[in-house]
Amino acid sequence: MFTEGANGMGYREVAVEEIREVLRLWLGLAVGLPAPGLRTIAARAGIDRKTVRRYIAAAQAAGLTREAGAAALTDELLGAVVAGVRPARPNGHGQAWEALVPFTEQITQWVKGGAPENPEPLTVTKIHILLARQGCVVPYRTLVRFATECCGYRRTTTTVRVADGDPGVECQIDFGYLGLLDDASTGKRRKVFALVFTAVYSRHTFVWLTHTQTLSAILEGCSAAWEFFGGVFAVIIPDNMKPIVTRADILNPRLSRGWLDYGQHAGFVTDTARVATPTDKPRVERTIHYVQNNFWAGERFSSLPDAQAAAVAWCQSTAGLRIHGTTAAAPAVLFDTDERTHLLPIPADYDVPIFKQVKVHRDFHASVGKALYSLPETWIGSTLDVRLDSEAVKFYHRGELVKQHPRQPAGGQSTDPHDYPADKAAYALRNISKLQSTCEHHGPHIGLYAARIVDDPRPWSRVRAVYTLLGLVRTYGPGPVDAACATALEFDVIAVPKIASMLEQATENTTPDMPVAAGSESSRFARDPSEYATNRTQLTLVPNPDNTIQE
Protein backbone atom coordinates (compact mmCIF):
# COMPACT_ATOMS: atom_id res chain seq x y z
CA MET A 1 0.00 0.00 0.00
CA PHE A 2 1.11 3.59 -0.55
CA THR A 3 -0.17 7.11 -0.01
CA GLU A 4 -1.59 9.23 -2.78
CA GLY A 5 -3.12 12.65 -2.91
CA ALA A 6 -3.35 15.96 -4.65
CA ASN A 7 -1.24 19.08 -4.02
CA GLY A 8 0.22 17.51 -0.91
CA MET A 9 -2.98 17.90 1.11
CA GLY A 10 -5.65 15.18 1.63
CA TYR A 11 -4.23 11.67 1.36
CA ARG A 12 -5.47 8.13 1.74
CA GLU A 13 -3.90 4.71 1.56
CA VAL A 14 -4.29 3.08 -1.89
CA ALA A 15 -3.65 -0.61 -2.39
CA VAL A 16 -1.59 -1.92 -5.27
CA GLU A 17 -4.54 -4.15 -6.13
CA GLU A 18 -6.64 -1.01 -6.75
CA ILE A 19 -4.06 0.30 -9.25
CA ARG A 20 -3.96 -3.10 -10.94
CA GLU A 21 -7.77 -3.09 -11.18
CA VAL A 22 -7.80 0.40 -12.76
CA LEU A 23 -5.27 -0.62 -15.39
CA ARG A 24 -7.02 -3.97 -16.03
CA LEU A 25 -10.30 -2.15 -16.73
CA TRP A 26 -8.52 0.36 -18.98
CA LEU A 27 -6.98 -2.43 -20.99
CA GLY A 28 -10.42 -3.97 -21.45
CA LEU A 29 -9.41 -7.25 -19.81
CA ALA A 30 -12.70 -7.65 -17.92
CA VAL A 31 -14.59 -10.59 -19.40
CA GLY A 32 -17.38 -9.58 -21.72
CA LEU A 33 -16.80 -5.83 -21.28
CA PRO A 34 -15.29 -3.41 -23.79
CA ALA A 35 -12.57 -0.98 -22.70
CA PRO A 36 -14.53 1.65 -20.74
CA GLY A 37 -13.89 5.35 -20.28
CA LEU A 38 -12.37 7.06 -17.25
CA ARG A 39 -15.72 7.81 -15.60
CA THR A 40 -16.80 4.16 -15.82
CA ILE A 41 -13.43 2.93 -14.54
CA ALA A 42 -13.62 5.30 -11.56
CA ALA A 43 -17.14 4.12 -10.69
CA ARG A 44 -16.26 0.43 -10.87
CA ALA A 45 -12.94 0.77 -9.01
CA GLY A 46 -14.30 3.15 -6.34
CA ILE A 47 -11.60 5.74 -7.01
CA ASP A 48 -11.82 9.41 -7.98
CA ARG A 49 -11.80 10.03 -11.73
CA LYS A 50 -8.84 12.42 -11.51
CA THR A 51 -6.87 9.80 -9.62
CA VAL A 52 -7.71 7.25 -12.36
CA ARG A 53 -6.41 9.67 -14.98
CA ARG A 54 -3.11 10.03 -13.11
CA TYR A 55 -2.70 6.24 -12.80
CA ILE A 56 -3.29 5.72 -16.51
CA ALA A 57 -0.99 8.61 -17.47
CA ALA A 58 1.78 7.22 -15.29
CA ALA A 59 1.28 3.75 -16.83
CA GLN A 60 1.44 5.14 -20.35
CA ALA A 61 4.59 7.01 -19.42
CA ALA A 62 6.04 3.70 -18.25
CA GLY A 63 5.31 2.15 -21.70
CA LEU A 64 1.85 0.56 -21.25
CA THR A 65 -0.36 0.62 -24.34
CA ARG A 66 -4.00 -0.31 -24.72
CA GLU A 67 -3.11 -3.20 -26.98
CA ALA A 68 -1.01 -4.86 -24.29
CA GLY A 69 -2.34 -7.90 -22.55
CA ALA A 70 -2.58 -8.96 -18.92
CA ALA A 71 1.09 -9.98 -18.95
CA ALA A 72 2.06 -6.33 -19.18
CA LEU A 73 0.72 -5.62 -15.64
CA THR A 74 3.93 -6.67 -13.92
CA ASP A 75 5.20 -5.63 -10.51
CA GLU A 76 7.82 -3.48 -12.19
CA LEU A 77 5.14 -1.57 -14.13
CA LEU A 78 3.03 -1.08 -11.03
CA GLY A 79 6.11 0.16 -9.14
CA ALA A 80 6.71 2.73 -11.86
CA VAL A 81 3.08 3.88 -11.64
CA VAL A 82 3.35 4.26 -7.87
CA ALA A 83 6.55 6.27 -8.23
CA GLY A 84 4.91 8.47 -10.82
CA VAL A 85 1.83 9.41 -8.79
CA ARG A 86 3.47 9.62 -5.32
CA PRO A 87 3.86 13.25 -4.15
CA ALA A 88 7.41 14.53 -3.68
CA ARG A 89 8.41 13.74 -0.09
CA PRO A 90 12.17 13.66 0.39
CA ASN A 91 11.81 12.83 4.10
CA GLY A 92 8.64 10.81 3.84
CA HIS A 93 6.45 13.73 4.99
CA GLY A 94 4.53 16.49 3.32
CA GLN A 95 5.01 20.24 3.25
CA ALA A 96 2.98 20.84 6.43
CA TRP A 97 5.20 18.45 8.39
CA GLU A 98 8.34 20.12 7.08
CA ALA A 99 6.94 23.50 8.13
CA LEU A 100 6.77 22.28 11.75
CA VAL A 101 10.37 21.07 11.94
CA PRO A 102 11.86 24.51 12.84
CA PHE A 103 9.41 24.72 15.78
CA THR A 104 10.32 21.32 17.25
CA GLU A 105 12.03 22.69 20.38
CA GLN A 106 9.28 25.23 21.02
CA ILE A 107 6.50 22.66 20.63
CA THR A 108 8.35 20.28 22.98
CA GLN A 109 8.53 23.00 25.63
CA TRP A 110 4.84 23.77 25.27
CA VAL A 111 3.92 20.09 25.54
CA LYS A 112 6.03 19.43 28.66
CA GLY A 113 5.51 22.72 30.50
CA GLY A 114 7.79 23.89 33.31
CA ALA A 115 8.95 27.11 31.68
CA PRO A 116 8.37 30.43 33.48
CA GLU A 117 6.01 31.63 30.75
CA ASN A 118 4.06 28.32 30.68
CA PRO A 119 4.55 26.24 33.89
CA GLU A 120 1.66 23.94 32.94
CA PRO A 121 1.59 21.85 29.72
CA LEU A 122 -0.41 23.36 26.86
CA THR A 123 -3.02 21.54 24.84
CA VAL A 124 -2.42 20.86 21.16
CA THR A 125 -5.35 23.14 20.37
CA LYS A 126 -3.60 26.04 22.10
CA ILE A 127 -0.30 25.17 20.44
CA HIS A 128 -2.07 25.23 17.07
CA ILE A 129 -3.28 28.78 17.80
CA LEU A 130 0.17 29.97 18.96
CA LEU A 131 1.86 28.57 15.83
CA ALA A 132 -0.68 30.32 13.61
CA ARG A 133 0.24 33.61 15.31
CA GLN A 134 3.85 32.96 14.30
CA GLY A 135 2.87 32.31 10.68
CA CYS A 136 3.00 28.50 10.80
CA VAL A 137 -0.43 27.38 9.60
CA VAL A 138 -0.73 23.59 9.33
CA PRO A 139 -3.60 21.08 9.60
CA TYR A 140 -4.49 20.19 13.19
CA ARG A 141 -4.09 16.44 12.63
CA THR A 142 -0.62 16.96 11.19
CA LEU A 143 0.32 18.94 14.32
CA VAL A 144 -0.98 16.11 16.54
CA ARG A 145 1.08 13.52 14.67
CA PHE A 146 4.18 15.73 14.74
CA ALA A 147 3.85 16.47 18.48
CA THR A 148 3.35 12.78 19.24
CA GLU A 149 6.28 11.49 17.19
CA CYS A 150 8.82 14.29 17.68
CA CYS A 151 7.90 16.28 20.82
CA GLY A 152 6.89 13.71 23.47
CA TYR A 153 3.18 14.43 23.36
CA ARG A 154 1.03 11.46 24.36
CA ARG A 155 4.03 9.20 24.04
CA THR A 156 2.82 5.65 23.73
CA THR A 157 4.67 2.58 24.93
CA THR A 158 4.83 -0.79 23.36
CA THR A 159 3.30 -3.84 24.93
CA VAL A 160 4.01 -7.54 24.76
CA ARG A 161 1.74 -10.53 25.06
CA VAL A 162 2.43 -12.46 28.24
CA ALA A 163 2.21 -16.22 28.08
CA ASP A 164 -0.82 -17.80 29.73
CA GLY A 165 1.21 -20.04 32.00
CA ASP A 166 0.43 -23.56 33.10
CA PRO A 167 -3.13 -24.90 33.26
CA GLY A 168 -4.98 -24.45 36.55
CA VAL A 169 -2.47 -22.02 38.05
CA GLU A 170 -3.71 -18.44 37.58
CA CYS A 171 -7.13 -16.84 37.88
CA GLN A 172 -7.75 -13.10 37.46
CA ILE A 173 -10.59 -11.41 39.38
CA ASP A 174 -12.06 -7.92 39.22
CA PHE A 175 -15.28 -5.98 39.84
CA GLY A 176 -17.39 -4.44 37.10
CA TYR A 177 -20.50 -2.27 37.41
CA LEU A 178 -23.60 -3.64 35.67
CA GLY A 179 -26.58 -1.45 36.54
CA LEU A 180 -29.55 -1.14 38.92
CA LEU A 181 -31.79 -3.86 40.29
CA ASP A 182 -34.69 -3.93 42.75
CA ASP A 183 -33.71 -5.09 46.24
CA ALA A 184 -36.57 -6.97 47.91
CA SER A 185 -35.16 -6.40 51.41
CA THR A 186 -35.21 -2.59 51.13
CA GLY A 187 -37.72 -2.02 48.36
CA LYS A 188 -35.27 0.23 46.54
CA ARG A 189 -33.20 -0.04 43.38
CA ARG A 190 -29.58 -0.70 44.17
CA LYS A 191 -26.37 -0.93 42.19
CA VAL A 192 -25.31 -4.38 41.02
CA PHE A 193 -21.65 -5.30 40.63
CA ALA A 194 -20.19 -8.36 38.95
CA LEU A 195 -17.21 -10.06 40.55
CA VAL A 196 -15.70 -11.79 37.51
CA PHE A 197 -13.34 -14.79 37.75
CA THR A 198 -11.43 -15.63 34.55
CA ALA A 199 -9.11 -18.63 34.24
CA VAL A 200 -5.98 -17.34 32.49
CA TYR A 201 -5.25 -20.51 30.55
CA SER A 202 -8.69 -21.53 29.30
CA ARG A 203 -10.57 -18.18 29.64
CA HIS A 204 -13.39 -20.04 31.42
CA THR A 205 -15.44 -17.46 33.38
CA PHE A 206 -17.59 -17.30 36.49
CA VAL A 207 -19.70 -14.26 37.46
CA TRP A 208 -20.83 -13.48 41.02
CA LEU A 209 -23.39 -10.70 41.44
CA THR A 210 -23.48 -8.54 44.56
CA HIS A 211 -24.79 -5.20 45.78
CA THR A 212 -21.58 -4.40 47.69
CA GLN A 213 -17.83 -4.71 47.28
CA THR A 214 -17.02 -5.71 50.85
CA LEU A 215 -14.71 -8.51 51.95
CA SER A 216 -17.72 -10.66 52.87
CA ALA A 217 -19.13 -10.25 49.36
CA ILE A 218 -15.78 -11.18 47.82
CA LEU A 219 -15.40 -14.26 50.01
CA GLU A 220 -18.94 -15.39 49.18
CA GLY A 221 -18.10 -15.00 45.50
CA CYS A 222 -14.88 -17.00 45.95
CA SER A 223 -16.72 -19.86 47.63
CA ALA A 224 -19.28 -19.94 44.80
CA ALA A 225 -16.51 -19.77 42.19
CA TRP A 226 -14.62 -22.75 43.63
CA GLU A 227 -17.84 -24.76 43.54
CA PHE A 228 -18.38 -23.71 39.92
CA PHE A 229 -14.82 -24.55 38.81
CA GLY A 230 -14.56 -27.64 40.98
CA GLY A 231 -11.41 -26.48 42.75
CA VAL A 232 -9.15 -23.56 43.68
CA PHE A 233 -6.53 -21.91 41.49
CA ALA A 234 -3.02 -21.74 42.93
CA VAL A 235 -2.55 -18.00 42.19
CA ILE A 236 -5.24 -15.31 42.38
CA ILE A 237 -4.54 -12.02 40.55
CA PRO A 238 -6.88 -9.31 41.88
CA ASP A 239 -7.12 -5.60 41.31
CA ASN A 240 -6.07 -3.28 44.16
CA MET A 241 -9.56 -3.36 45.69
CA LYS A 242 -9.66 -2.07 49.28
CA PRO A 243 -11.05 -5.23 50.92
CA ILE A 244 -8.01 -7.14 49.58
CA VAL A 245 -5.17 -4.61 49.40
CA THR A 246 -4.74 -2.10 52.22
CA ARG A 247 -1.57 -0.52 50.78
CA ALA A 248 -0.66 -0.85 47.12
CA ASP A 249 2.98 -1.31 46.19
CA ILE A 250 4.73 -2.64 43.11
CA LEU A 251 6.92 -5.07 45.03
CA ASN A 252 5.44 -5.43 48.52
CA PRO A 253 1.70 -4.72 48.61
CA ARG A 254 0.07 -5.03 52.02
CA LEU A 255 -2.90 -7.40 51.96
CA SER A 256 -5.79 -7.15 54.39
CA ARG A 257 -5.82 -9.55 57.33
CA GLY A 258 -9.16 -10.98 56.26
CA TRP A 259 -7.94 -11.80 52.75
CA LEU A 260 -4.69 -13.29 54.05
CA ASP A 261 -6.63 -15.44 56.50
CA TYR A 262 -8.91 -16.69 53.74
CA GLY A 263 -5.96 -17.35 51.41
CA GLN A 264 -4.37 -19.51 54.09
CA HIS A 265 -7.67 -21.34 54.53
CA ALA A 266 -8.16 -21.97 50.78
CA GLY A 267 -4.48 -22.59 49.98
CA PHE A 268 -3.85 -20.00 47.25
CA VAL A 269 -1.37 -17.12 47.01
CA THR A 270 -2.12 -13.57 45.85
CA ASP A 271 -0.28 -11.68 43.11
CA THR A 272 -1.86 -8.21 42.94
CA ALA A 273 -1.84 -6.11 39.80
CA ARG A 274 -0.08 -2.77 39.80
CA VAL A 275 -2.07 0.39 40.42
CA ALA A 276 -3.79 1.76 37.30
CA THR A 277 -2.26 -1.02 35.19
CA PRO A 278 -5.06 -3.03 33.58
CA THR A 279 -2.50 -4.77 31.36
CA ASP A 280 -1.50 -6.81 34.43
CA LYS A 281 -4.89 -8.57 34.28
CA PRO A 282 -6.02 -8.24 30.64
CA ARG A 283 -7.97 -11.53 30.57
CA VAL A 284 -10.52 -10.42 33.17
CA GLU A 285 -10.57 -6.81 31.91
CA ARG A 286 -11.80 -7.95 28.53
CA THR A 287 -14.24 -10.38 30.11
CA ILE A 288 -15.90 -7.63 32.17
CA HIS A 289 -16.93 -5.81 28.98
CA TYR A 290 -18.21 -9.12 27.60
CA VAL A 291 -20.33 -9.66 30.73
CA GLN A 292 -21.71 -6.12 30.58
CA ASN A 293 -22.64 -6.27 26.89
CA ASN A 294 -23.59 -9.90 26.35
CA PHE A 295 -25.10 -10.98 29.68
CA TRP A 296 -26.55 -7.89 31.40
CA ALA A 297 -27.46 -5.48 28.59
CA GLY A 298 -31.12 -5.59 27.63
CA GLU A 299 -32.10 -8.15 30.31
CA ARG A 300 -34.71 -7.76 33.05
CA PHE A 301 -34.32 -9.66 36.33
CA SER A 302 -36.81 -9.76 39.18
CA SER A 303 -34.23 -10.11 41.97
CA LEU A 304 -30.57 -10.66 42.64
CA PRO A 305 -30.97 -14.45 43.13
CA ASP A 306 -32.81 -14.60 39.80
CA ALA A 307 -29.98 -12.68 38.12
CA GLN A 308 -27.36 -14.89 39.78
CA ALA A 309 -29.01 -18.06 38.49
CA ALA A 310 -29.08 -16.56 35.00
CA ALA A 311 -25.38 -15.59 35.33
CA VAL A 312 -24.35 -19.16 36.18
CA ALA A 313 -26.31 -20.53 33.22
CA TRP A 314 -24.75 -17.89 30.96
CA CYS A 315 -21.23 -18.81 32.14
CA GLN A 316 -21.84 -22.50 31.44
CA SER A 317 -23.48 -22.15 28.04
CA THR A 318 -23.01 -18.84 26.26
CA ALA A 319 -19.62 -17.79 27.60
CA GLY A 320 -18.34 -21.29 28.19
CA LEU A 321 -19.25 -22.78 24.80
CA ARG A 322 -18.37 -19.89 22.50
CA ILE A 323 -15.23 -20.19 20.43
CA HIS A 324 -12.71 -17.81 21.99
CA GLY A 325 -10.91 -15.59 19.53
CA THR A 326 -7.45 -16.15 21.04
CA THR A 327 -7.52 -19.80 22.07
CA ALA A 328 -9.74 -20.86 19.13
CA ALA A 329 -11.51 -23.23 21.53
CA ALA A 330 -14.57 -23.27 23.77
CA PRO A 331 -13.41 -22.11 27.25
CA ALA A 332 -15.52 -24.66 29.13
CA VAL A 333 -14.26 -27.52 26.97
CA LEU A 334 -10.63 -26.41 27.25
CA PHE A 335 -11.04 -26.02 31.01
CA ASP A 336 -12.50 -29.51 31.43
CA THR A 337 -9.81 -31.00 29.24
CA ASP A 338 -6.64 -29.28 30.52
CA GLU A 339 -7.30 -27.36 33.75
CA ARG A 340 -9.80 -29.01 36.06
CA THR A 341 -7.46 -31.77 37.19
CA HIS A 342 -4.75 -29.27 38.17
CA LEU A 343 -6.88 -27.28 40.64
CA LEU A 344 -6.46 -27.41 44.39
CA PRO A 345 -9.25 -29.15 46.34
CA ILE A 346 -12.27 -27.15 47.44
CA PRO A 347 -11.72 -25.96 51.04
CA ALA A 348 -14.14 -26.54 53.90
CA ASP A 349 -16.79 -23.94 54.68
CA TYR A 350 -15.13 -20.74 55.81
CA ASP A 351 -16.35 -18.94 58.90
CA VAL A 352 -15.95 -15.35 57.78
CA PRO A 353 -14.18 -13.50 60.61
CA ILE A 354 -14.12 -9.84 61.55
CA PHE A 355 -10.77 -8.19 62.15
CA LYS A 356 -10.52 -4.97 64.13
CA GLN A 357 -8.54 -3.15 66.79
CA VAL A 358 -9.94 -2.47 70.26
CA LYS A 359 -8.75 -0.71 73.40
CA VAL A 360 -8.78 -2.39 76.82
CA HIS A 361 -10.58 -0.11 79.30
CA ARG A 362 -10.02 0.48 83.01
CA ASP A 363 -12.70 -2.03 83.92
CA PHE A 364 -10.48 -4.85 82.55
CA HIS A 365 -12.80 -5.36 79.55
CA ALA A 366 -12.82 -4.63 75.82
CA SER A 367 -15.94 -4.26 73.71
CA VAL A 368 -16.10 -6.47 70.60
CA GLY A 369 -19.29 -6.97 68.61
CA LYS A 370 -21.35 -5.20 71.32
CA ALA A 371 -20.21 -7.74 73.93
CA LEU A 372 -17.61 -7.43 76.71
CA TYR A 373 -14.54 -9.63 77.14
CA SER A 374 -12.07 -9.46 80.04
CA LEU A 375 -8.29 -9.18 79.78
CA PRO A 376 -5.52 -9.17 82.40
CA GLU A 377 -4.58 -5.91 84.13
CA THR A 378 -1.37 -5.77 82.08
CA TRP A 379 -3.28 -4.80 78.94
CA ILE A 380 -5.34 -1.95 80.40
CA GLY A 381 -4.98 1.06 78.09
CA SER A 382 -3.45 -1.03 75.29
CA THR A 383 -4.82 -1.42 71.77
CA LEU A 384 -5.04 -5.04 70.66
CA ASP A 385 -5.85 -6.77 67.37
CA VAL A 386 -8.99 -8.90 67.46
CA ARG A 387 -10.17 -11.80 65.32
CA LEU A 388 -13.89 -12.41 65.78
CA ASP A 389 -15.76 -15.35 64.25
CA SER A 390 -18.93 -17.25 65.16
CA GLU A 391 -17.15 -19.42 67.75
CA ALA A 392 -14.33 -17.48 69.40
CA VAL A 393 -12.84 -14.06 70.03
CA LYS A 394 -9.05 -13.90 69.96
CA PHE A 395 -6.94 -10.95 71.14
CA TYR A 396 -3.44 -10.46 69.70
CA HIS A 397 -0.57 -8.15 70.56
CA ARG A 398 2.02 -7.86 67.80
CA GLY A 399 0.98 -11.21 66.43
CA GLU A 400 1.02 -13.02 69.80
CA LEU A 401 -2.22 -14.48 71.16
CA VAL A 402 -2.80 -12.97 74.62
CA LYS A 403 -6.42 -13.96 75.36
CA GLN A 404 -9.24 -16.04 73.92
CA HIS A 405 -12.93 -16.08 74.84
CA PRO A 406 -15.98 -17.93 73.51
CA ARG A 407 -18.12 -15.69 71.30
CA GLN A 408 -20.92 -13.94 73.20
CA PRO A 409 -24.14 -12.48 71.77
CA ALA A 410 -24.68 -8.74 71.67
CA GLY A 411 -25.06 -7.48 75.21
CA GLY A 412 -23.29 -10.53 76.67
CA GLN A 413 -20.15 -10.68 78.78
CA SER A 414 -17.33 -13.19 79.20
CA THR A 415 -15.18 -12.57 82.27
CA ASP A 416 -12.26 -14.68 83.44
CA PRO A 417 -11.85 -14.34 87.27
CA HIS A 418 -8.10 -14.72 86.89
CA ASP A 419 -7.98 -11.46 84.90
CA TYR A 420 -8.85 -9.47 88.06
CA PRO A 421 -6.41 -8.74 90.91
CA ALA A 422 -6.90 -11.14 93.84
CA ASP A 423 -8.40 -8.44 96.09
CA LYS A 424 -10.96 -7.34 93.49
CA ALA A 425 -12.11 -10.55 91.88
CA ALA A 426 -14.63 -11.53 94.57
CA TYR A 427 -16.20 -8.07 94.65
CA ALA A 428 -16.38 -7.75 90.89
CA LEU A 429 -17.92 -11.20 90.49
CA ARG A 430 -20.17 -10.93 93.60
CA ASN A 431 -18.59 -14.07 95.01
CA ILE A 432 -20.01 -14.24 98.57
CA SER A 433 -18.40 -17.58 99.39
CA LYS A 434 -15.00 -16.24 98.35
CA LEU A 435 -15.37 -13.27 100.71
CA GLN A 436 -16.38 -15.55 103.59
CA SER A 437 -13.42 -17.80 102.90
CA THR A 438 -11.08 -14.77 103.02
CA CYS A 439 -12.54 -13.69 106.35
CA GLU A 440 -12.18 -17.22 107.80
CA HIS A 441 -8.56 -17.20 106.73
CA HIS A 442 -7.94 -14.17 108.99
CA GLY A 443 -9.70 -15.70 112.03
CA PRO A 444 -12.57 -18.01 112.94
CA HIS A 445 -14.56 -15.31 114.69
CA ILE A 446 -14.01 -12.93 111.76
CA GLY A 447 -15.37 -15.60 109.41
CA LEU A 448 -18.36 -16.24 111.67
CA TYR A 449 -19.01 -12.50 111.97
CA ALA A 450 -18.90 -12.13 108.18
CA ALA A 451 -21.36 -15.01 107.82
CA ARG A 452 -23.73 -13.26 110.22
CA ILE A 453 -23.39 -10.03 108.21
CA VAL A 454 -24.37 -11.61 104.88
CA ASP A 455 -27.15 -13.69 106.45
CA ASP A 456 -29.74 -11.69 104.53
CA PRO A 457 -32.22 -12.37 101.70
CA ARG A 458 -30.09 -10.02 99.60
CA PRO A 459 -26.56 -10.86 100.69
CA TRP A 460 -24.98 -8.75 97.96
CA SER A 461 -26.34 -5.60 99.62
CA ARG A 462 -24.29 -6.48 102.76
CA VAL A 463 -20.97 -7.05 101.00
CA ARG A 464 -19.72 -3.53 101.67
CA ALA A 465 -19.89 -4.26 105.41
CA VAL A 466 -17.71 -7.35 104.85
CA TYR A 467 -15.19 -5.25 102.89
CA THR A 468 -15.16 -2.74 105.78
CA LEU A 469 -14.44 -5.61 108.17
CA LEU A 470 -11.54 -6.72 105.95
CA GLY A 471 -10.29 -3.14 105.96
CA LEU A 472 -10.17 -3.25 109.77
CA VAL A 473 -8.08 -6.42 109.49
CA ARG A 474 -5.58 -4.58 107.28
CA THR A 475 -5.50 -1.65 109.73
CA TYR A 476 -5.39 -3.35 113.14
CA GLY A 477 -4.30 -6.88 112.24
CA PRO A 478 -6.22 -10.19 112.39
CA GLY A 479 -5.76 -10.76 116.17
CA PRO A 480 -7.47 -7.64 117.57
CA VAL A 481 -10.27 -7.85 114.97
CA ASP A 482 -10.90 -11.52 115.74
CA ALA A 483 -11.06 -10.74 119.48
CA ALA A 484 -13.47 -7.84 118.86
CA CYS A 485 -15.67 -10.07 116.69
CA ALA A 486 -15.69 -12.76 119.42
CA THR A 487 -16.82 -10.21 122.01
CA ALA A 488 -19.48 -8.79 119.70
CA LEU A 489 -20.81 -12.26 118.87
CA GLU A 490 -21.03 -13.08 122.61
CA PHE A 491 -23.50 -10.25 123.03
CA ASP A 492 -25.07 -10.76 119.56
CA VAL A 493 -24.04 -7.32 118.34
CA ILE A 494 -23.80 -7.47 114.50
CA ALA A 495 -22.58 -4.02 113.55
CA VAL A 496 -19.22 -3.33 111.93
CA PRO A 497 -19.13 0.27 113.23
CA LYS A 498 -19.26 -1.21 116.78
CA ILE A 499 -16.22 -3.38 115.93
CA ALA A 500 -14.41 -0.29 114.64
CA SER A 501 -15.26 1.61 117.86
CA MET A 502 -13.95 -1.22 120.03
CA LEU A 503 -10.70 -1.30 118.09
CA GLU A 504 -10.28 2.47 118.30
CA GLN A 505 -10.76 2.38 122.11
CA ALA A 506 -8.73 -0.87 122.46
CA THR A 507 -11.58 -2.48 124.44
CA GLU A 508 -11.78 -5.62 122.34
CA ASN A 509 -10.26 -7.69 125.23
CA THR A 510 -12.25 -6.01 128.08
CA THR A 511 -15.49 -7.52 129.35
CA PRO A 512 -18.13 -4.81 129.19
CA ASP A 513 -20.20 -3.92 132.24
CA MET A 514 -23.62 -5.47 132.42
CA PRO A 515 -26.52 -3.04 132.31
CA VAL A 516 -27.87 -2.04 135.81
CA ALA A 517 -31.55 -1.37 136.55
CA ALA A 518 -32.44 2.15 137.59
CA GLY A 519 -32.71 2.67 141.42
CA SER A 520 -30.69 -0.39 142.37
CA GLU A 521 -28.03 1.84 143.97
CA SER A 522 -28.24 5.01 146.10
CA SER A 523 -27.53 8.17 144.34
CA ARG A 524 -25.76 11.22 145.64
CA PHE A 525 -28.75 13.43 145.20
CA ALA A 526 -31.40 10.86 146.07
CA ARG A 527 -33.84 11.79 148.96
CA ASP A 528 -35.23 9.46 151.56
CA PRO A 529 -38.69 8.16 150.73
CA SER A 530 -40.03 9.34 154.12
CA GLU A 531 -39.44 12.88 153.05
CA TYR A 532 -42.12 12.48 150.46
CA ALA A 533 -44.79 11.39 153.16
CA THR A 534 -47.46 14.08 154.12
CA ASN A 535 -50.37 14.34 156.72
CA ARG A 536 -53.60 14.75 154.86
CA THR A 537 -56.52 16.67 156.77
CA GLN A 538 -59.99 14.98 156.79
CA LEU A 539 -62.70 17.21 155.45
CA THR A 540 -66.20 17.21 157.18
CA LEU A 541 -69.29 18.49 155.39
CA VAL A 542 -71.83 20.51 157.64
CA PRO A 543 -75.31 21.37 156.29
CA ASN A 544 -75.99 25.10 155.90
CA PRO A 545 -79.35 26.63 155.63
CA ASP A 546 -78.05 28.94 152.98
CA ASN A 547 -77.39 25.88 150.81
CA THR A 548 -73.68 26.41 151.08
CA ILE A 549 -71.09 24.00 152.16
CA GLN A 550 -68.97 24.95 155.11
CA GLU A 551 -65.93 23.33 156.52
Side-chain angles (χ1 to χ4, degrees), residues 377-393:
E377 186 177 11
T378 308
W379 304 110
I380 291 179
S382 302
T383 299
L384 303 178
D385 296 321
V386 180
R387 184 187 188 277
L388 172 71
D389 57 31
S390 62
E391 299 294 333
V393 180

Side-chain angles (χ1 to χ4, degrees), residues 149-485:
E149 296 183 21
C150 302
C151 304
Y153 172 70
R154 223 166 41 180
R155 183 66 56 86
T156 58
T157 58
T158 59
T159 184
V160 295
R161 178 177 292 276
V162 180
D164 293 335
D166 296 330
V169 175
E170 295 182 352
C171 180
Q172 299 177 359
I173 66 174
D174 198 5
F175 272 111
Y177 173 69
L178 297 183
L180 298 176
L181 188 65
D182 293 334
D183 185 2
S185 61
T186 62
K188 298 180 180 179
R189 292 179 63 80
R190 298 181 61 187
K191 292 182 177 179
V192 177
F193 301 94
L195 180 60
V196 181
F197 298 75
T198 300
V200 172
Y201 180 83
S202 65
R203 308 304 201 273
H204 198 24
T205 296
F206 175 74
V207 177
W208 177 255
L209 304 181
T210 175
H211 287 303
T212 64
Q213 299 186 36
T214 61
L215 179 62
S216 296
I218 295 174
L219 298 186
E220 289 178 9
C222 288
S223 298
W226 309 150
E227 293 291 339
F228 176 83
F229 289 118
V232 180
F233 292 86
V235 180
I236 304 300
I237 305 175
D239 195 1
N240 288 275
M241 52 189 75
K242 288 297 183 181
I244 295 179
V245 182
T246 59
R247 184 178 63 85
D249 186 83
I250 296 178
L251 300 178
N252 299 305
R254 180 176 298 172
L255 304 179
S256 67
R257 295 181 60 193
W259 180 255
L260 280 175
D261 188 79
Y262 179 73
Q264 296 164 10
H265 171 79
F268 62 77
V269 296
T270 305
D271 182 16
T272 61
R274 292 170 293 175
V275 176
T277 311
T279 53
D280 284 356
K281 46 181 180 56
R283 277 53 169 179
V284 72
E285 288 285 345
R286 183 65 186 90
T287 306
I288 288 176
H289 296 291
Y290 181 51
V291 173
Q292 293 170 334
N293 298 328
N294 191 283
F295 165 68
W296 184 265
E299 299 290 344
R300 295 292 182 271
F301 302 106
S302 60
S303 63
L304 191 65
D306 176 41
Q308 182 60 53
V312 173
W314 178 84
C315 293
Q316 292 172 336
S317 57
T318 304
L321 299 181
R322 80 190 192 281
I323 301 301
H324 195 276
T326 302
T327 63
V333 176
L334 186 60
F335 175 81
D336 291 335
T337 303
D338 296 346
E339 282 201 291
R340 187 182 296 276
T341 57
H342 295 84
L343 299 182
L344 302 175
I346 299 176
D349 292 340
Y350 182 64
D351 188 1
V352 180
I354 298 174
F355 294 90
K356 61 184 302 185
Q357 290 184 327
V358 297
K359 186 175 182 180
V360 183
H361 300 288
R362 296 172 58 188
D363 61 358
F364 297 84
H365 286 76
S367 177
V368 182
K370 297 183 179 180
L372 297 177
Y373 301 90
S374 68
L375 289 106
E377 186 177 11
T378 308
W379 304 110
I380 291 179
S382 302
T383 299
L384 303 178
D385 296 321
V386 180
R387 184 187 188 277
L388 172 71
D389 57 31
S390 62
E391 299 294 333
V393 180
K394 298 181 180 180
F395 295 85
Y396 295 87
H397 178 68
R398 296 180 179 177
E400 180 182 357
L401 179 65
V402 298
K403 195 68 181 180
Q404 180 174 343
H405 285 276
R407 175 73 181 271
Q408 300 297 317
Q413 179 174 330
S414 177
T415 301
D416 184 354
H418 298 91
D419 291 337
Y420 287 116
D423 58 335
K424 295 183 179 180
Y427 177 78
L429 300 176
R430 299 192 175 190
N431 193 338
I432 303 298
S433 60
K434 177 64 176 177
L435 288 175
Q436 289 185 238
S437 176
T438 303
C439 293
E440 291 174 358
H441 175 74
H442 292 300
H445 298 95
I446 299 176
L448 184 57
Y449 202 82
R452 291 290 304 277
I453 291 175
V454 297
D455 185 15
D456 187 90
R458 299 176 62 230
W460 177 248
S461 64
R462 306 290 296 159
V463 167
R464 292 182 181 177
V466 179
Y467 267 91
T468 304
L469 182 63
L470 291 174
L472 295 176
V473 172
R474 290 191 296 270
T475 303
Y476 297 99
V481 177
D482 190 69
C485 289

Side-chain angles (χ1 to χ4, degrees), residues 83-106:
V85 300
R86 175 183 296 161
R89 292 185 176 184
N91 298 324
H93 297 287
Q95 298 177 358
W97 185 283
E98 297 299 332
L100 291 171
V101 172
F103 298 93
T104 302
E105 184 177 352
Q106 180 64 70

